[in-house]
Amino acid sequence: MTIALDIFRALADATRLRILALLRTMELSVGELAQVLGQSQPRVSRHVKILCDAGIAERRKEGSWVFVALGNGAMVGPVIGALDQWAAIEPDHWAVADAARLAAVRADRAASAASWFEANAGQWDAIRSLHIAESEVEAAISAVLGDAPIGQLIDIGTGTGRMLELFAGRADHALGIDRSSEMLRLARAKLSERGLGNAELRQADLYALPLGDGGADVAIIHHVLHFAQQPGAAIAEAARVLGPGGRLLIADFASHDREELRTKDGHTRLGFADEQMATWFAAAGLAPVRTETLVGGELTVKLWLARKLGRVTQEMKAA
């Protein structure tokens, strides 16, 4: 009864209902919520605190930013179900306006990342090497993937195509996707020079991969996730294209507080914690397999390997 009272008290406000609706769409910073709601950040922060205290939302601090996401599914699910039923009876007049302002927030995020990518496409490999020796990362990725044939490989956010250079030769077919046409132009030149005829490049979004369900055996997200607006959604989309037993390898930074990377280099996220990654894996139907920590350079790089649950993995467990 106490939990129910806390939830209903927390939702007894139009602004907090709007926040809940927005968080169903994507994780947002307090500043972005304030932008969509047209309210001050201190006021929005108070509303967020009430929702978090009731377990309906969760806060996560990254440098000077605070991101807000939906709370535990067991708590939030019944509430959302009820709200959907009531919305069918009486539509929410705020929904359309909030959706339009949320689209503007998305556009601002995407434009910021896209402009940085386009401005730095020619220096992308060099910028990566400033954070940690890329040779160490590549050797660790190779060790984690092992020597077995890869099958169908998809490199998500391929950039200049380095992962395809390294692993397409072990794959039956390799697909690299990137949103930036300039990046793809550079990657295409590289792959052509190396004669990798089984590697294909496509311009596409990491949230809408151009591959059917279960079409890939290995997916790689190499130093891309910290640019993603919705890392959990990107992981879920990668999991979608993996067949049962397929592997997802993420190489990215451990959590850090280098705030200048957000403003100077366009990073949306200041690295990731193991617990955070495990939560996203579980939501996407992936089981963690291996984690590697590579200390060196200005930042620590982490490798997270997960395997898609399904018939194959169940048989492997039984064995």
Side-chain angles (χ1 to χ4, degrees):
M1 181 65 72
T2 302
I3 293 176
L5 285 172
D6 289 343
I7 289 174
F8 282 115
R9 287 192 186 106
L11 293 176
D13 181 274
T15 295
R16 293 196 284 274
L17 286 172
R18 291 168 66 192
I19 291 173
L20 178 61
L22 291 167
L23 296 180
R24 292 180 65 183
T25 303
M26 62 188 292
E27 186 178 81
L28 292 161
S29 71
V30 171
E32 289 167 337
L33 283 169
Q35 181 181 340
V36 174
L37 297 168
Q39 299 180 16
S40 68
Q41 287 200 34
R43 184 175 181 182
V44 171
S45 293
R46 288 194 293 272
H47 286 303
V48 166
K49 182 180 185 304
I50 292 170
L51 291 172
C52 291
D53 289 345
I56 298 169
E58 295 177 350
R59 285 174 297 190
R60 181 174 52 79
K61 195 173 189 303
E62 281 189 8
S64 62
W65 288 30
V66 175
F67 285 91
V68 188
L70 288 179
N72 183 278
M75 299 277 285
V76 179
V79 173
I80 288 175
L83 291 173
D84 285 345
Q85 292 291 325
W86 295 329
I89 301 170
E90 183 183 6
D92 181 5
H93 71 280
W94 283 108
V96 174
D98 285 350
R101 286 189 286 264
L102 182 61
V105 167
R106 289 179 185 268
D108 287 345
R109 281 188 179 186
S112 175
S115 64
W116 186 88
F117 274 125
E118 294 295 342
N120 294 277
Q123 304 169 337
W124 179 230
D125 286 337
I127 290 172
R128 283 180 171 175
S129 69
L130 294 176
H131 301 298
I132 189 170
E134 197 65 20
S135 59
E136 293 184 44
V137 179
E138 293 172 359
I141 289 174
S142 184
V144 167
L145 289 178
D147 298 326
I150 288 176
Q152 169 72 50
L153 168 68
I154 181 167
D155 182 24
I156 301 168
T158 195
T160 58
R162 181 58 179 162
M163 292 295 101
L164 296 179
E165 285 186 81
L166 292 174
F167 301 112
R170 290 168 44 192
D172 296 332
H173 180 263
L175 173 64
I177 71 102
D178 206 288
R179 287 187 60 187
S180 169
S181 58
E182 181 67 12
M183 285 288 193
L184 292 175
R185 185 184 68 80
L186 295 171
R188 192 166 285 109
K190 270 191 174 186
L191 299 179
S192 175
E193 180 183 339
R194 286 157 178 73
L196 293 172
N198 69 328
E200 178 185 358
L201 296 168
R202 295 192 207 174
Q203 187 171 21
D205 193 285
L206 78 168
Y207 303 113
L209 300 174
L211 203 62
D213 293 357
D217 299 294
V218 173
I220 298 175
I221 306 178
H222 176 238
H223 282 320
V224 170
L225 209 60
H226 58 259
F227 290 107
Q229 299 178 22
Q230 303 176 72
I235 289 171
E237 177 64 1
R240 177 189 67 79
V241 303
L242 289 173
R247 294 176 293 165
L248 170 62
L249 176 64
I250 297 173
D252 218 298
F253 300 122
S255 296
H256 61 87
D257 59 1
R258 297 293 296 271
E259 186 71 32
E260 74 275 12
L261 293 180
R262 199 196 306 273
T263 55
K264 177 176 173 287
D265 292 333
H267 292 202
T268 300
R269 302 303 179 104
L270 300 183
F272 304 96
D274 292 343
E275 297 79 7
Q276 188 176 37
M277 200 64 68
T279 298
W280 284 327
F281 284 161
L286 299 167
V289 173
R290 183 172 173 180
T291 301
E292 295 288 337
T293 302
L294 307 177
V295 179
E298 299 180 27
L299 298 172
T300 295
V301 169
K302 302 278 292 193
L303 303 183
W304 294 277
L305 180 69
R307 190 180 292 275
K308 186 168 182 179
L309 298 173
R311 183 178 58 84
V312 171
T313 54
Q314 293 301 327
E315 290 174 354
M316 290 172 61
K317 289 179 181 177

